[in-house]
């Protein structure tokens, strides 16, 4: 009979250099305890920047609210103050009277004042139908002033102008020259009976007219 050759490891025999049947190699070491936790993810840089911007915006909003409240309080206090009345005189300053402007008349080279006078008839007068006004002329400038009754006229209450009649009143204004600081007084007389309102006199024949109300 022919014998079959035996296969290696047949009948449980191990050939040299052959791994034992069923050997799976060295076993892996066993680990004890809970499994390790996965690493935590860090917050992104964008999220941190966003939170920072929100904080800055909130700060500005808070500052704006505080400023609005403060300004509102000031406006309320200002509205409670009484408004100044137009034309009222400030406290501590004397009020100026309405007629003060009349008293503050400008002073020029000639100053004239006038008042009613009694007509004093001369032998050259034709009756008593005349009206006289006493005037005082003063040289208030730095130059001489020419005085002449013909340089003066009388305006009555109706606006009519009366020229001076010469040599009819004993107190007629003299024809003269006044040095600076000098003055003279005399009467100017108009024809007829009327109520004198003011007189107008000039420095010389063609000088500027100076008007004075008759008191």
């Amino acid at each position: 009979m022919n014998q079959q050759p035996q296969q290696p490891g047949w009948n449980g025999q191990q050939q040299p250099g052959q791994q034992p049947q069923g050997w799976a190699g060295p076993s892996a070491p066993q680990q004890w305890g809970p499994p390790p936790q996965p690493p935590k993810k860090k917050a992104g840089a964008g999220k941190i920047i966003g939170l920072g911007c929100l904080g800055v915006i909130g700060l500005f909003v808070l500052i704006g609210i505080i400023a609005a409240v403060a300004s509102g309080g000031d406006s309320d206090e200002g509205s409670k103050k009484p408004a100044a009345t137009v034309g009222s005189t400030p406290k501590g300053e004397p009020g100026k009277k309405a007629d003060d402007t009349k008293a503050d008349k400008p002073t020029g080279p000639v100053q004239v004042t006038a008042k009613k006078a009694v007509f004093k008839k001369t032998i050259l007068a034709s009756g008593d139908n005349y009206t006289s006004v006493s005037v005082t002329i003063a040289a208030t400038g730095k130059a001489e002033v020419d005085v002449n009754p013909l340089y003066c006229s009388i305006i009555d209450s109706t606006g009519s102008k009366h020229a001076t009649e010469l040599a009819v009143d004993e107190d007629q204004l003299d024809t003269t020259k006044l040095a600076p600081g000098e003055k003279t007084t005399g009467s100017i007389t108009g024809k007829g009976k009327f109520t004198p309102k003011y007189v107008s006199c000039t420095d010389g024949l063609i000088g500027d007219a100076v008007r004075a109300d008759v008191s």
Side-chain angles (χ1 to χ4, degrees):
M1 286 179 72
N2 297 330
Q3 292 182 354
Q4 295 293 332
Q6 292 182 359
Q7 297 295 330
W10 183 257
N11 292 327
Q13 296 181 0
Q14 182 178 355
Q15 296 295 328
Q18 184 178 3
Q19 297 292 338
Q21 186 177 2
W23 184 79
S27 60
Q30 294 183 358
Q31 295 180 356
W32 301 95
Q37 298 294 329
K40 295 182 180 181
K41 294 183 180 180
K42 296 183 179 180
K47 184 179 294 185
I48 296 175
I49 295 174
L51 293 175
C53 293
L54 288 176
V56 173
I57 292 174
L59 179 60
F60 279 114
V61 171
L62 180 61
I63 293 174
I65 293 174
I66 295 174
V69 172
S71 62
D74 294 340
S75 61
D76 292 341
E77 292 178 0
S79 60
K80 294 178 182 179
K81 295 180 181 180
T85 305
V86 177
S88 61
T89 303
K91 192 173 182 180
E93 295 183 5
K96 188 175 182 179
K97 296 181 180 179
D99 57 352
D100 285 349
T101 55
K102 295 182 180 179
D104 298 335
K105 293 181 180 179
T107 302
V110 180
Q111 185 177 18
V112 179
T113 57
K115 62 181 180 180
K116 295 179 180 179
V118 177
F119 172 66
K120 296 180 180 180
K121 178 182 176 182
T122 66
I123 58 173
L124 298 177
S126 301
D128 296 326
N129 193 24
Y130 295 95
T131 300
S132 293
V133 176
S134 176
V135 297
T136 298
I137 300 176
T140 54
K142 297 180 180 180
E144 289 185 338
V145 174
D146 290 330
V147 178
N148 191 312
L150 294 177
Y151 298 160
C152 298
S153 58
I154 305 172
I155 292 84
D156 64 20
S157 57
T158 65
S160 299
K161 185 177 181 179
H162 301 267
T164 301
E165 298 288 330
L166 295 177
V168 293
D169 192 311
E170 294 180 358
D171 296 333
Q172 178 177 289
L173 183 67
D174 293 333
T175 300
T176 184
K177 284 184 178 291
L178 297 177
E182 293 181 342
K183 62 181 179 180
T184 184
T185 301
S187 294
I188 55 175
T189 305
K191 182 70 174 179
K193 295 293 184 180
F194 54 85
T195 302
K197 185 176 182 180
Y198 64 88
V199 298
S200 178
C201 299
T202 61
D203 177 13
L205 184 61
I206 57 175
D208 294 332
V210 179
R211 194 179 79 170
D213 294 334
V214 177
S215 60

